[in-house]
Every structure is written in structure tokens, then in C-alpha cells.
Amino acid sequence: MQSNKRFYITTAIDYPNAKPHLGHAYEKVLADCIARWNFLLGKDVFFLTGTDEHGLKIQRAAAEQKMNPKEFVDKQVKFFKEAYSALDIEWSRFIRTTDADHEELVQKFFEKLYKDGYIYMGKYKGLYCVDCEAFYTAKDLINGSLCPVHKRKCEIVEEESYFFKLSKFQDKLIEFIEKNPNCIFPDTRRNEVLARLKKEKLHDLSVSRLNVEWGIPVPFDKKHTIYVWFDALLNYLTGIKWPSKKFRQYWPALHLIGKDIVWFHTAIWFSMLMAAKIKLPKIVAHGFINLEGNVKMSKSKGNVIDPIVLAEKYSSNAVRYYLLREIPFGEDGYFSEKALIERNNTELADSLGNLLNRVLVLIEKKFNGVIPKAKTSEELSKKLNVAKIKGYFSKFELHLALKEIFSFVDECNRYINEKQPWNSSREEAATTLYSLADSLRVVAILLWPFMPNASEEILKQLGIKPSREFFKGAIEKVKFNLLKQNKINRSGILFPKFEFKEEKIKARDVKVSVSPELKKLGLKVYSAVIEGVKVKRKSRALEKEKQEIVIKVKDKLTGKEYNRLIEGYEKIYEKLGIKVRNSVRNLVEQVLANGRLPQINTAVDSYNLVSLEKAVVVGAHDIDKLKGDIRFEFYDGKKPFVPLEEKQQRKIPENSFVVVDDERVICFADEKQCDETKIDLATKNIVIYVQGNSLMSEAYCKEALRKICDKIIAYCGGRIKRIDR
Ligand code: MSP
């Protein structure tokens, strides 16, 4: 049984199939902060983090790099340790599920549940997502086959398998969670789990695989390997050596995890523990960190933020401060370099760094660099509300705890400006400067969980040697008048300032050409490249402009002249003998039916607006997802085509003309464009083209192109890199 003197905190263990990103680091910074806070409270803290290294996902990632899985994970794990060290994360153990003691424990646990009748042999047939490492039922899948998370086709897997009797625990789980309202935090997550448990019948869980080599063998049936989640969850027991004395001292843990894996940690993990008669831990779930515009970081989008690069550029202090201050615990937030710099410059550099520097310079000038003897002014000390900070920590409101500490720093700044120790008598200056130096000592201790490096640096400058022992139980030193007459060590700037430079994103040029055969049919194409855009979901001004356009052109849409222009396209299809819908025709019909233009994002909406106004077919693609240049040509049947929102290859009718890059068809005739190169919120560079037919002049098409570029730049920013003039 964990006593109040001990504290065991764990994080989720990361999949090392790719390098760590800021989302992984965010979780470890949160955990490190909570661990350090408990250390300040005087507890023996054990902080476990690590990597989840078995299973198909890793096996395949290793194969892609032509490495064996162990070599591959050995290489990958270094990036995780490096990233977390760069952020001053101090774990007690970094566990890897390939560690020998863990593999042993997993086998022992599996065998125990088997002997106790909680695991049995059965047959499994199901749809499996390799990326989730999870089976799904068809009703959970998009169109019955695509993984709801990764939108990838699930594989049908049928095999003999060991099953864990999860179904036995449904009522017990509900009862436990209802009786222990604090076992899952925040409440929203607890309510979600409870609602699901009450609605959905729990089925027994397949916990072994036949054809996954990279895993821990079932000890009594070695052709099976243990299911990766069953293996991974047990890391929490290995960390403190279940069932040793250490385990009894530290258990139960606080598991800090992301909101996406709460179900695994409650339904499955709680049941596994109940089966083994082990006390249940506490689950604390944080939100997700995304990019501006709520864009998810993902390897395929190439927009992943590397925590190592960030820490090198801005220091661990600035990054930790930003992560812990910006995002309210439990909620989703987004990362913005600009916001990080703003907080660093105003809150860290101007407010805290400047205060420290002013106080130390004045102590040097007026007191020869020795902290004067005096008493801390109560006028100042009463402004610090430690109880409030403790209260915030108990609810994991780390951002509010930090805000409260900084509101005391603001009070210190107000106090120095008011007292003007540079102008006052020696005696008054002694009181003012002692009060401030003493307050900075207190602030430094309170900041240790948030920014250990800055905290230790402030203490050093105040002449205190901050060993790890100094911080054990240091909450006791969060009292005034404890600062001695130390010689100070003013050194350097604690928080350097940074300038925000709008990143000049450069696009590569993409040429758009038309084959001679298609030219003969009257098809002409004019293109432009726009670089450095920021696509948004929606813009109020653009919505207004779209409405105005619809009103302006509504009558024209059914008129002869307008329709003749569209027929110009349709004549080309007729000549080819293909049946496809023209995209302008499509747009017109939508507008006539709904009275408005569709709403996709600010880039697509911008060009649709001009497409409707001028009856021109427009195409646009994300340059960074294209391979090589673009070409309009007759389809030779060779390249694959996956249309928008379909995610599966589609056959293209004979005699079609297509738009291709070096690898695939990105658009065909004038129907849907391909999914992979579509413009979305992560797009930075766009190639855009207007297609004209024999009824449209070159000048007419170029004017439309120019107008589209202007609209995109007005609503998404960016610059024209190249345009057919
Ligand atoms: N290996 C499993 C966890 C097993 S725990 C027994 C896993 N790994 S993961 O690498 O996908 O995620 C590790 C942790 O990082 C999870 O808690 C997850 O929620 C968190 N995050 C991953 N991306 C994130 C963000 N973008 N933002 C915040 N946290 C996110 O799941």
C-alpha cells in the first residue's frame, strides 16, 4: 500500500516507430512537473516512462528500414531519451518493453491469469488495424472496412488465440468507477468510460497472436506472442518490480496518459488488475496538442514538431513554461511558435528575468554583492498565496498554479518600482532588496517543478547551492525570511529574448503541361504557384463574399451564354466518348439547389467562388504532396487513382484524360480530385490551374487565374511564386 510519503507516477510508453514529437514530450513534461511537485512536498517519488516496442507496427517500421526489430528500436529509443533529457525530464526508470525483467513479468502475469482461469484458448476472426494494434468490429469501421482513426483498410485476421475474460468484469468495472469517482480524472473522461460500459457489451479480448513474431511468447505455447497492449500495460508493474516489497511500497500508481487511450487503461487494464487481485490505480488524462487551426501533427503531413529542435532553439525553460502555462490541463491546445516567443519575452524575460537582474545589480552596487540583512516586508510577502497554488496542483491545474506564481512576480515588480531602492536610503534599500531577493528564492523553489533549470539558476545567483536534496520537501522552505547573507553570483541573462520571424516558406516550382493530343481538342491550361499560405477552416469575410457572388450570378447561371461556356468542356468529353460530370456544372447545381456555395476551407472556397463566377474549371493541389510536375494526358491505364474521400483505388473509364504527377493520377477528367494531394489546413504551397476550352480566350482564362490567386492570398496569405501571364 502506497503511503502518503511515496508517490508513483507513470506516463504512457511511446511507440518508437517514428521519432518523438511534441505531443509525446508534452505528456512527459506534465508528468515530470507533477513528479517534482510531489518531491517538493517531501515524498519519495518514482517516475516511470519509456517505450512500447513490440508488435506489428514496430515490426513493419523496422522492415521498411531493412533492420531487424531489436536493432531498429535500439536506434529509435535514443531519440526519445535525447528529447526528454533536452527538456530536463528526470525519470527514475526508462522502461523498454524489450527489457528482460519486463518480458519475464509479462509471461509470469499471463501464466497466472491462465492458471486462475481468466485466460483460455479460443478462435478469433476479426478486422485488425495495424496502426492501432487493435481489432475492430465492422460497425466501428468507416464503410465497414476502414479504421476510424487511420482511415486505412483493416485486415481480416482469423486465428486461434488466447482470450482474456474481459466480459466477466463489466459489472465490476461499473461498480468500481461509480464508487470511486476520483479513479479517472477529469470527470468528462470518467463519464465517457462509464457511459460506454453501460451501453456496450464487453467481449472477451484476444490476447495472443499467431503470426506476429516480434513480441513476447506465451510461456506455455511459444508459437503465440502476447498481444501488444497486454504486454505494454504491464510495464507499470515491471517499473516497481511487482510483486516485490518495492511494489507494495509504491503501488497504486498515478497513470498520466492521453485522452485517446483512456479506454485501454480502464476497461482493459482495470480488468487485468482485478483478475490478478491488484488494487486499481488512478487514471489522469491530458488533452492533445495540435497545430494552429487544430491541425493534427502527423508524419505523413510532414508537420511534426521535433522537441529536440525546439529545446535547442528556445531552451528547455521556455518550452516547458509554454507547454505548462498555455494549455489548461485536460483540454486540447495548439502549439504556436509565435505564442511561445511572446510568453518567453514578456513573462519570462521582461517579468522574471528582468526582476532578478535588477535586484542583483542593485545588491552589487549598494551592498557590495552581499545580500543585506533585513526582514521581508509583509506588504509583499502576504501577496503570495501558497494555499491557492497547492489547491491548483491537487486538481492538476498546473497552468493556474503557474499563473499564480507569476502574479506574485508581478507584485514583486510593482513593489520594486514603488520603493525605488536606487533612490532610497541604505536602510530602506536593504529592506526592499532583501524582500525581493527572499521572494525570488521562494519563487525559484515554486518554479522548480515547471522549469528546474531556471529555478536552479536563480538559486545559484542568490548564492544558494541547489542540490537535488535541497528540493526534497522544499515546500517547507516556501516561507519568508529564510535567505541568508550570501554573496550573490550574477551571471548572464537567464531568459534570452527571441524575435519572431514569419517563416518564409518556399515552394518548389511545379510546371503544368498539356499533351499535344489534348491541346488539339481545345483544352488549354494556365497555372500559378502560391507559396506560404495558411489555410483556415472558414472566414467570415469570405462567407460574406461567397453569398454576394451567389446573389450576383444566380440569374446568369441558367442563361445561355454561361451554359455555352460549360458546354465547351462537355463537347471535349463527348468527342472522347466518356461520361463524366463537369465540375462547374456540379458547382452550379449545388448552388441552385442550396442557394450557396459549399464550405470546405478558405483556399478551396476562394477558387470555387471564381470558378462559379467565370464558369471555369479549376484544379489545385498541395505541392508538398506532389511528386514531380503535373501533366494533362490520355490515360494509359498504368498509374493508380484514389479519389477524394474514397481512400481506395478506382478504375478510370477508357478514353479519359487525366492529370498525373510522376507517380499517380491526381485528377481525372473534371470529376473529383485525388485525396492525397488535396488542399487542407496543413497545406503551405499550392499549385493552381484554370482549364479553358475552345470557347474561352486565353485572356479570359488568365484573368480568372489572376483573380483566384488574389482571393487565395486575401484569405490564406502567401505570395505568388510563379504565374502564367
Ligand atoms: N504505446 C501506446 C501507449 C501504451 S501505454 C501502456 C501509445 N503510444 S503513442 O506513442 O501513440 O502515444 C504515447 C502517448 O502520447 C499517449 O498518451 C498519447 O495520448 C500521447 N500523445 C500522442 N500524440 C499526442 C498529441 N498530439 N498531444 C498530446 N499527447 C499525445 O499510445
Side-chain angles (χ1 to χ4, degrees), residues 12-15 21 23-24 26-27 52 229 232-233 235-236 257-258 260-261 265 286-289:
I13 47 173
D14 304 326
Y15 291 126
H21 60 59
H24 298 123
Y26 170 59
E27 174 175 297
D52 186 355
W229 268 99
L233 286 161
N235 89 85
Y236 304 133
I257 53 165
D260 56 328
I261 53 174
H265 280 78
H286 61 78
F288 260 50
I289 181 156

mmCIF file of all heavy atoms in Angstrom, residues 12-15 21 23-24 26-27 52 229 232-233 235-236 257-258 260-261 265 286-289, ligand 1:
data_model
loop_
_atom_site.group_PDB
_atom_site.id
_atom_site.type_symbol
_atom_site.label_atom_id
_atom_site.label_comp_id
_atom_site.label_asym_id
_atom_site.label_seq_id
_atom_site.Cartn_x
_atom_site.Cartn_y
_atom_site.Cartn_z
ATOM 1 N N ALA A 12 2.307 7.214 -20.383
ATOM 2 C CA ALA A 12 2.139 6.192 -21.412
ATOM 3 C C ALA A 12 3.526 5.911 -21.967
ATOM 4 O O ALA A 12 4.393 6.783 -21.954
ATOM 5 C CB ALA A 12 1.237 6.711 -22.519
ATOM 6 N N ILE A 13 3.740 4.678 -22.432
ATOM 7 C CA ILE A 13 5.022 4.405 -23.073
ATOM 8 C C ILE A 13 4.820 4.568 -24.577
ATOM 9 O O ILE A 13 3.843 4.089 -25.143
ATOM 10 C CB ILE A 13 5.598 3.026 -22.669
ATOM 11 C CG1 ILE A 13 4.538 1.927 -22.773
ATOM 12 C CG2 ILE A 13 6.155 3.094 -21.256
ATOM 13 C CD1 ILE A 13 5.103 0.529 -22.537
ATOM 14 N N ASP A 14 5.730 5.285 -25.201
ATOM 15 C CA ASP A 14 5.553 5.695 -26.596
ATOM 16 C C ASP A 14 5.920 4.587 -27.572
ATOM 17 O O ASP A 14 6.850 3.814 -27.328
ATOM 18 C CB ASP A 14 6.445 6.910 -26.905
ATOM 19 C CG ASP A 14 6.184 8.063 -25.960
ATOM 20 O OD1 ASP A 14 5.031 8.238 -25.550
ATOM 21 O OD2 ASP A 14 7.151 8.787 -25.630
ATOM 22 N N TYR A 15 5.242 4.589 -28.710
ATOM 23 C CA TYR A 15 5.652 3.709 -29.804
ATOM 24 C C TYR A 15 6.870 4.330 -30.481
ATOM 25 O O TYR A 15 6.767 5.449 -30.993
ATOM 26 C CB TYR A 15 4.554 3.602 -30.863
ATOM 27 C CG TYR A 15 3.318 2.871 -30.419
ATOM 28 C CD1 TYR A 15 2.068 3.462 -30.529
ATOM 29 C CD2 TYR A 15 3.394 1.573 -29.939
ATOM 30 C CE1 TYR A 15 0.914 2.796 -30.149
ATOM 31 C CE2 TYR A 15 2.243 0.898 -29.557
ATOM 32 C CZ TYR A 15 1.009 1.511 -29.664
ATOM 33 O OH TYR A 15 -0.122 0.849 -29.293
ATOM 34 N N HIS A 21 7.459 13.285 -31.014
ATOM 35 C CA HIS A 21 7.034 14.628 -31.403
ATOM 36 C C HIS A 21 6.591 15.400 -30.167
ATOM 37 O O HIS A 21 6.621 14.876 -29.035
ATOM 38 C CB HIS A 21 5.978 14.594 -32.503
ATOM 39 C CG HIS A 21 4.714 13.871 -32.152
ATOM 40 N ND1 HIS A 21 3.921 14.232 -31.088
ATOM 41 C CD2 HIS A 21 4.103 12.807 -32.723
ATOM 42 C CE1 HIS A 21 2.873 13.434 -31.042
ATOM 43 N NE2 HIS A 21 2.975 12.545 -32.008
ATOM 44 N N GLY A 23 3.806 16.190 -28.985
ATOM 45 C CA GLY A 23 2.714 15.580 -28.216
ATOM 46 C C GLY A 23 3.250 14.604 -27.178
ATOM 47 O O GLY A 23 2.832 14.610 -26.024
ATOM 48 N N HIS A 24 4.195 13.765 -27.606
ATOM 49 C CA HIS A 24 4.808 12.833 -26.652
ATOM 50 C C HIS A 24 5.507 13.615 -25.547
ATOM 51 O O HIS A 24 5.419 13.293 -24.370
ATOM 52 C CB HIS A 24 5.861 11.952 -27.339
ATOM 53 C CG HIS A 24 5.307 11.076 -28.428
ATOM 54 N ND1 HIS A 24 5.763 11.104 -29.714
ATOM 55 C CD2 HIS A 24 4.336 10.142 -28.401
ATOM 56 C CE1 HIS A 24 5.108 10.221 -30.438
ATOM 57 N NE2 HIS A 24 4.227 9.624 -29.661
ATOM 58 N N TYR A 26 5.015 16.654 -24.519
ATOM 59 C CA TYR A 26 4.070 17.383 -23.670
ATOM 60 C C TYR A 26 3.669 16.520 -22.470
ATOM 61 O O TYR A 26 3.685 16.958 -21.316
ATOM 62 C CB TYR A 26 2.842 17.773 -24.508
ATOM 63 C CG TYR A 26 1.674 18.312 -23.726
ATOM 64 C CD1 TYR A 26 1.821 19.445 -22.929
ATOM 65 C CD2 TYR A 26 0.411 17.706 -23.779
ATOM 66 C CE1 TYR A 26 0.749 19.953 -22.204
ATOM 67 C CE2 TYR A 26 -0.661 18.207 -23.070
ATOM 68 C CZ TYR A 26 -0.489 19.328 -22.280
ATOM 69 O OH TYR A 26 -1.552 19.829 -21.564
ATOM 70 N N GLU A 27 3.333 15.273 -22.761
ATOM 71 C CA GLU A 27 2.914 14.363 -21.686
ATOM 72 C C GLU A 27 4.040 14.143 -20.672
ATOM 73 O O GLU A 27 3.796 14.130 -19.451
ATOM 74 C CB GLU A 27 2.511 13.020 -22.308
ATOM 75 C CG GLU A 27 2.198 11.945 -21.303
ATOM 76 C CD GLU A 27 1.680 10.690 -21.991
ATOM 77 O OE1 GLU A 27 0.621 10.740 -22.626
ATOM 78 O OE2 GLU A 27 2.365 9.661 -21.919
ATOM 79 N N ASP A 52 7.217 1.481 -25.946
ATOM 80 C CA ASP A 52 6.362 0.318 -26.197
ATOM 81 C C ASP A 52 6.859 -0.304 -27.503
ATOM 82 O O ASP A 52 6.542 0.184 -28.579
ATOM 83 C CB ASP A 52 4.920 0.863 -26.324
ATOM 84 C CG ASP A 52 3.884 -0.214 -26.454
ATOM 85 O OD1 ASP A 52 4.257 -1.394 -26.535
ATOM 86 O OD2 ASP A 52 2.688 0.132 -26.477
ATOM 87 N N TRP A 229 -0.901 -4.669 -26.399
ATOM 88 C CA TRP A 229 -1.446 -3.842 -25.310
ATOM 89 C C TRP A 229 -1.367 -4.562 -23.960
ATOM 90 O O TRP A 229 -1.145 -3.950 -22.927
ATOM 91 C CB TRP A 229 -2.888 -3.415 -25.606
ATOM 92 C CG TRP A 229 -2.929 -2.087 -26.316
ATOM 93 C CD1 TRP A 229 -3.086 -1.887 -27.663
ATOM 94 C CD2 TRP A 229 -2.789 -0.782 -25.725
ATOM 95 N NE1 TRP A 229 -3.047 -0.544 -27.943
ATOM 96 C CE2 TRP A 229 -2.870 0.159 -26.779
ATOM 97 C CE3 TRP A 229 -2.589 -0.318 -24.428
ATOM 98 C CZ2 TRP A 229 -2.779 1.530 -26.568
ATOM 99 C CZ3 TRP A 229 -2.495 1.054 -24.220
ATOM 100 C CH2 TRP A 229 -2.587 1.958 -25.275
ATOM 101 N N ALA A 232 2.166 -4.138 -23.024
ATOM 102 C CA ALA A 232 2.552 -2.751 -22.712
ATOM 103 C C ALA A 232 2.012 -2.294 -21.356
ATOM 104 O O ALA A 232 2.731 -1.678 -20.562
ATOM 105 C CB ALA A 232 2.058 -1.822 -23.803
ATOM 106 N N LEU A 233 0.744 -2.609 -21.085
ATOM 107 C CA LEU A 233 0.140 -2.107 -19.842
ATOM 108 C C LEU A 233 0.888 -2.623 -18.611
ATOM 109 O O LEU A 233 0.980 -1.940 -17.589
ATOM 110 C CB LEU A 233 -1.336 -2.519 -19.785
ATOM 111 C CG LEU A 233 -2.242 -1.724 -20.741
ATOM 112 C CD1 LEU A 233 -3.561 -2.455 -20.986
ATOM 113 C CD2 LEU A 233 -2.512 -0.313 -20.210
ATOM 114 N N ASN A 235 3.882 -2.772 -18.122
ATOM 115 C CA ASN A 235 5.134 -2.052 -17.811
ATOM 116 C C ASN A 235 5.024 -1.343 -16.464
ATOM 117 O O ASN A 235 6.011 -1.156 -15.758
ATOM 118 C CB ASN A 235 5.469 -1.054 -18.927
ATOM 119 C CG ASN A 235 4.852 0.320 -18.721
ATOM 120 O OD1 ASN A 235 5.407 1.161 -18.028
ATOM 121 N ND2 ASN A 235 3.677 0.552 -19.300
ATOM 122 N N TYR A 236 3.778 -0.974 -16.117
ATOM 123 C CA TYR A 236 3.587 -0.241 -14.869
ATOM 124 C C TYR A 236 3.911 -1.117 -13.650
ATOM 125 O O TYR A 236 4.267 -0.604 -12.600
ATOM 126 C CB TYR A 236 2.148 0.274 -14.770
ATOM 127 C CG TYR A 236 1.713 1.135 -15.941
ATOM 128 C CD1 TYR A 236 0.490 0.929 -16.589
ATOM 129 C CD2 TYR A 236 2.515 2.176 -16.397
ATOM 130 C CE1 TYR A 236 0.091 1.729 -17.647
ATOM 131 C CE2 TYR A 236 2.121 2.976 -17.462
ATOM 132 C CZ TYR A 236 0.905 2.745 -18.085
ATOM 133 O OH TYR A 236 0.514 3.535 -19.132
ATOM 134 N N ILE A 257 -1.861 9.806 -18.871
ATOM 135 C CA ILE A 257 -1.945 9.330 -20.264
ATOM 136 C C ILE A 257 -2.751 10.311 -21.106
ATOM 137 O O ILE A 257 -3.429 11.187 -20.576
ATOM 138 C CB ILE A 257 -2.648 7.952 -20.348
ATOM 139 C CG1 ILE A 257 -4.015 8.027 -19.635
ATOM 140 C CG2 ILE A 257 -1.775 6.860 -19.770
ATOM 141 C CD1 ILE A 257 -4.923 6.868 -19.969
ATOM 142 N N GLY A 258 -2.706 10.135 -22.419
ATOM 143 C CA GLY A 258 -3.508 10.954 -23.326
ATOM 144 C C GLY A 258 -4.949 10.486 -23.357
ATOM 145 O O GLY A 258 -5.238 9.323 -23.058
ATOM 146 N N ASP A 260 -6.766 9.679 -25.683
ATOM 147 C CA ASP A 260 -7.107 8.652 -26.679
ATOM 148 C C ASP A 260 -6.952 7.233 -26.159
ATOM 149 O O ASP A 260 -7.431 6.292 -26.781
ATOM 150 C CB ASP A 260 -6.228 8.830 -27.938
ATOM 151 C CG ASP A 260 -4.736 8.807 -27.625
ATOM 152 O OD1 ASP A 260 -4.351 9.256 -26.529
ATOM 153 O OD2 ASP A 260 -3.957 8.334 -28.474
ATOM 154 N N ILE A 261 -6.255 7.054 -25.026
ATOM 155 C CA ILE A 261 -6.017 5.679 -24.580
ATOM 156 C C ILE A 261 -6.623 5.409 -23.193
ATOM 157 O O ILE A 261 -6.183 4.514 -22.485
ATOM 158 C CB ILE A 261 -4.507 5.315 -24.633
ATOM 159 C CG1 ILE A 261 -3.649 6.344 -23.874
ATOM 160 C CG2 ILE A 261 -4.024 5.222 -26.058
ATOM 161 C CD1 ILE A 261 -2.177 5.936 -23.791
ATOM 162 N N HIS A 265 -6.832 1.871 -20.676
ATOM 163 C CA HIS A 265 -6.346 1.934 -19.296
ATOM 164 C C HIS A 265 -7.441 1.715 -18.258
ATOM 165 O O HIS A 265 -7.139 1.641 -17.062
ATOM 166 C CB HIS A 265 -5.665 3.277 -19.033
ATOM 167 C CG HIS A 265 -4.256 3.316 -19.552
ATOM 168 N ND1 HIS A 265 -3.968 3.491 -20.875
ATOM 169 C CD2 HIS A 265 -3.057 3.167 -18.921
ATOM 170 C CE1 HIS A 265 -2.658 3.466 -21.040
ATOM 171 N NE2 HIS A 265 -2.083 3.271 -19.871
ATOM 172 N N HIS A 286 -4.688 13.712 -20.098
ATOM 173 C CA HIS A 286 -4.467 15.061 -20.634
ATOM 174 C C HIS A 286 -5.050 15.162 -22.036
ATOM 175 O O HIS A 286 -5.385 14.159 -22.661
ATOM 176 C CB HIS A 286 -2.970 15.389 -20.639
ATOM 177 C CG HIS A 286 -2.155 14.452 -21.490
ATOM 178 N ND1 HIS A 286 -2.107 14.541 -22.858
ATOM 179 C CD2 HIS A 286 -1.376 13.400 -21.151
ATOM 180 C CE1 HIS A 286 -1.321 13.581 -23.325
ATOM 181 N NE2 HIS A 286 -0.880 12.864 -22.312
ATOM 182 N N GLY A 287 -5.119 16.399 -22.527
ATOM 183 C CA GLY A 287 -5.660 16.610 -23.875
ATOM 184 C C GLY A 287 -4.560 16.516 -24.918
ATOM 185 O O GLY A 287 -3.421 16.167 -24.611
ATOM 186 N N PHE A 288 -4.912 16.839 -26.128
ATOM 187 C CA PHE A 288 -3.966 16.741 -27.242
ATOM 188 C C PHE A 288 -3.385 18.089 -27.605
ATOM 189 O O PHE A 288 -4.052 19.106 -27.495
ATOM 190 C CB PHE A 288 -4.674 16.142 -28.461
ATOM 191 C CG PHE A 288 -4.363 14.686 -28.607
ATOM 192 C CD1 PHE A 288 -4.501 13.851 -27.520
ATOM 193 C CD2 PHE A 288 -3.916 14.167 -29.811
ATOM 194 C CE1 PHE A 288 -4.182 12.502 -27.625
ATOM 195 C CE2 PHE A 288 -3.593 12.831 -29.928
ATOM 196 C CZ PHE A 288 -3.725 11.998 -28.842
ATOM 197 N N ILE A 289 -2.158 18.061 -28.042
ATOM 198 C CA ILE A 289 -1.564 19.290 -28.549
ATOM 199 C C ILE A 289 -1.513 19.182 -30.076
ATOM 200 O O ILE A 289 -0.945 18.252 -30.630
ATOM 201 C CB ILE A 289 -0.192 19.573 -27.899
ATOM 202 C CG1 ILE A 289 0.389 20.867 -28.434
ATOM 203 C CG2 ILE A 289 0.815 18.470 -28.073
ATOM 204 C CD1 ILE A 289 1.390 21.477 -27.469
HETATM 205 N N1 MSP B 1 2.113 2.767 -26.824
HETATM 206 C C1 MSP B 1 0.831 3.306 -26.539
HETATM 207 C C2 MSP B 1 0.648 3.540 -25.054
HETATM 208 C C3 MSP B 1 0.828 2.328 -24.208
HETATM 209 S S1 MSP B 1 0.720 2.729 -22.520
HETATM 210 C C4 MSP B 1 0.737 1.259 -21.780
HETATM 211 C C5 MSP B 1 0.647 4.633 -27.282
HETATM 212 N N2 MSP B 1 1.767 5.212 -27.751
HETATM 213 S S2 MSP B 1 1.807 6.581 -28.573
HETATM 214 O O1 MSP B 1 3.193 6.791 -28.913
HETATM 215 O O2 MSP B 1 0.866 6.556 -29.625
HETATM 216 O O3 MSP B 1 1.346 7.693 -27.574
HETATM 217 C C6 MSP B 1 2.019 7.895 -26.369
HETATM 218 C C7 MSP B 1 1.342 8.968 -25.568
HETATM 219 O O4 MSP B 1 1.479 10.212 -26.257
HETATM 220 C C8 MSP B 1 -0.161 8.736 -25.370
HETATM 221 O O5 MSP B 1 -0.544 9.047 -24.055
HETATM 222 C C9 MSP B 1 -0.791 9.703 -26.335
HETATM 223 O O6 MSP B 1 -2.054 10.164 -25.918
HETATM 224 C C10 MSP B 1 0.225 10.828 -26.305
HETATM 225 N N3 MSP B 1 0.136 11.661 -27.490
HETATM 226 C C11 MSP B 1 0.377 11.305 -28.788
HETATM 227 N N4 MSP B 1 0.132 12.389 -29.579
HETATM 228 C C12 MSP B 1 -0.261 13.432 -28.828
HETATM 229 C C13 MSP B 1 -0.520 14.783 -29.054
HETATM 230 N N5 MSP B 1 -0.516 15.310 -30.269
HETATM 231 N N6 MSP B 1 -0.755 15.560 -27.970
HETATM 232 C C14 MSP B 1 -0.668 15.092 -26.692
HETATM 233 N N7 MSP B 1 -0.419 13.823 -26.449
HETATM 234 C C15 MSP B 1 -0.380 12.938 -27.482
HETATM 235 O O7 MSP B 1 -0.466 5.102 -27.358
#
